[in-house]
Amino acid sequence: MKILKYISLILSALILCSAGAVQAKTVVAIAHTHEESHPDHQGFLAFKEYVEKNAGDRYEVQIYANKTSGSNEEVIDLIKAGTIQFMAISTSNLEPHNKKYAVFSLPYLFSSEEIYEKFISDPAVIEELGEENDKDGFTPLAAFTAGTRSFYAKTPIKSVKDLEGKRFRIQSGKTNKDLMYYFGANDITISFGEVYKALKNNVVDGAENNELALVDQKHGEFCKYYTYDRHQMCPDMLVGSSLFLYSIPEEDFDMFRKAAIEAQKVEFNRWKKSIEDAKKKAKEMGVTFIDVDVHEFQDKVKPIYEDVLKNNPQIKSLYEKARAFDKKYAK
Ligand code: GCU
């Protein structure tokens, strides 16, 4: 953190030099790729409200929803550069920047969404993820749930066998690629905003995500079968630009941290209802929801654990923590 402290000193000096004139408010930009109805956006509205209520004399928060600031892959670079101050980004998209985040790409890590939510709300987990925040250029402040990811496709997937020979869009990260290998499916990494086009042009036969993608991203126009194999729970991290956070007074940093926790509470509260609504709308679009034997899918990808833990020892500590959590809270 030495470099950031140094930059912070220079920035503070610059602010002092320019003091005297009326202090302008600092505009804080938040970017995300979802629609305004999405729980992540609702969370960010609470973040804005908290910041402007507690420090409205110093900060103005602007939210850029719906990819208006670019794709996740582009925005994380802007976060590192300090051009954008906050964003929500899937841990899968953070794996190429810091392999620790890959822990959430492991399949069937938690036996319920309740345990997963407890885990991602634990401050010790967020702290551990952020241990190298100076090198990363981003600092995790809280985690939004993104539910459970399952496969959906143009043809029904009723068993693991139905994945064979089909090509699925995946998020970034080597662990997702490994996962598809163990499932016996073909994969292609495509940015979130490009998936609709890829489905439309038959570049892929399907994708995997929570139910919201069928409706918000309109993937249900092409994929009429959603299979509850429930393979992954990976959160959207609410990250801040390390450059920004270490350039402001410590009490302001703390205030943004609290705003992130407020945002998370609202996001969690909205989640279940959003999923129910999305399911209803997806059914109206003609999507069929298929229940499968989850154990069959789970057994198929079991070898991934040994493989990933050997090749990415950085996740070991968080992996063990997640396992202990699951053991403690599983019914
Ligand atoms: C979810 C998640 C997004 C992510 C997307 C994806 O919708 O909330 O943050 O980008 O999955 O599959 O790319």
Side-chain angles (χ1 to χ4, degrees):
M1 203 39 59
K2 261 191 203 137
I3 299 174
L4 290 171
K5 285 235 165 85
Y6 180 65
I7 293 169
S8 150
L9 279 178
I10 297 176
L11 286 175
S12 314
L14 286 176
I15 291 166
L16 281 179
C17 290
S18 61
V22 180
Q23 193 98 50
K25 280 191 201 181
T26 302
V27 174
V28 167
I30 298 178
H32 68 84
T33 53
H34 293 295
E35 302 275 293
E36 294 191 354
S37 58
H38 192 281
D40 284 12
H41 185 81
Q42 301 302 313
F44 277 130
L45 288 177
F47 182 97
K48 176 179 163 72
E49 200 182 311
Y50 186 91
V51 171
E52 293 184 349
K53 197 169 142 207
N54 287 281
D57 54 333
R58 304 193 298 292
Y59 296 101
E60 183 188 322
V61 179
Q62 292 177 1
I63 309 176
Y64 298 92
N66 218 352
K67 312 168 195 79
T68 41
S69 293
S71 66
N72 287 314
E73 294 80 357
E74 288 163 341
V75 174
I76 191 68
D77 285 337
L78 299 176
I79 289 273
K80 287 181 173 203
T83 320
I84 288 184
Q85 287 70 43
F86 298 96
M87 79 180 294
I89 179 166
S90 167
T91 46
S92 285
N93 287 329
L94 292 175
E95 179 179 340
H97 300 267
N98 181 331
K99 285 164 82 181
K100 242 188 226 177
Y101 289 89
V103 69
F104 293 105
S105 296
L106 286 173
Y108 305 104
L109 190 57
F110 302 100
S111 28
S112 74
E113 283 195 16
E114 287 70 30
I115 300 175
Y116 153 73
E117 285 184 11
K118 235 189 238 296
F119 186 73
I120 63 173
S121 310
D122 185 338
V125 170
I126 304 297
E127 205 184 310
E128 187 165 342
L129 285 167
E131 267 166 3
E132 293 160 299
N133 62 348
D134 52 345
K135 189 160 85 28
D136 295 341
F138 53 86
T139 303
L141 300 181
F144 288 155
T145 179
T148 306
R149 297 177 80 94
S150 286
F151 285 106
Y152 50 94
K154 295 176 186 181
T155 50
I157 297 157
K158 293 183 176 160
S159 77
V160 176
K161 255 192 157 17
D162 295 329
L163 296 172
E164 281 170 22
K166 295 209 177 77
R167 191 204 285 261
F168 292 89
R169 174 269 172 174
I170 54 165
Q171 295 194 86
S172 337
K174 182 174 179 307
T175 317
N176 282 323
K177 264 197 144 354
D178 291 346
L179 180 57
M180 291 305 131
Y181 167 80
Y182 283 111
F183 268 134
N186 299 321
D187 63 83
I188 175 167
T189 304
I190 297 176
S191 185
F192 191 41
E194 302 298 318
V195 185
Y196 179 86
K197 227 191 302 167
L199 287 167
K200 186 175 181 189
N201 297 333
N202 290 319
V203 174
V204 288
D205 302 299
E208 48 83 54
N209 210 325
N210 59 60
E211 299 90 327
L212 297 184
L214 296 169
V215 178
D216 284 7
Q217 302 297 316
K218 306 189 179 64
H219 298 173
E221 282 182 16
F222 310 108
C223 297
K224 299 297 179 194
Y225 302 94
Y226 187 98
T227 297
Y228 277 116
D229 66 284
R230 305 178 198 275
H231 58 260
Q232 195 181 65
M233 293 177 196
C234 67
D236 282 348
M237 291 304 302
L238 196 173
V239 301
S241 159
S242 299
L243 207 52
F244 168 70
L245 289 169
Y246 286 96
S247 73
I248 57 176
E250 234 173 281
E251 57 268 32
D252 285 358
F253 188 155
D254 200 45
M255 187 261 312
F256 282 114
R257 220 182 260 290
K258 287 184 183 137
I261 303 296
E262 286 306 305
Q264 185 200 43
K265 280 186 206 152
V266 170
E267 202 265 354
F268 274 25
N269 281 339
R270 297 287 174 116
W271 189 261
K272 277 206 176 89
K273 172 87 171 68
S274 297
I275 292 293
E276 276 166 28
D277 291 349
K279 263 186 97 167
K280 220 182 277 165
K281 283 188 198 142
K283 281 180 186 164
E284 282 161 22
M285 289 168 93
V287 176
T288 303
F289 288 85
I290 303 170
D291 281 314
V292 285
D293 173 12
V294 171
H295 293 113
E296 193 210 351
F297 286 76
Q298 202 169 356
D299 287 348
K300 181 86 182 171
V301 296
K302 258 190 188 140
I304 197 178
Y305 283 87
E306 207 188 311
D307 187 3
V308 171
L309 284 162
K310 195 174 93 211
N311 293 318
N312 183 6
Q314 276 171 274
I315 63 168
K316 198 164 177 273
S317 153
L318 279 166
Y319 167 73
E320 281 166 2
K321 220 177 240 177
R323 277 295 184 232
F325 237 80
D326 203 67
K327 212 167 157 195
K328 184 168 168 196
Y329 294 108
K331 282 177 199 138

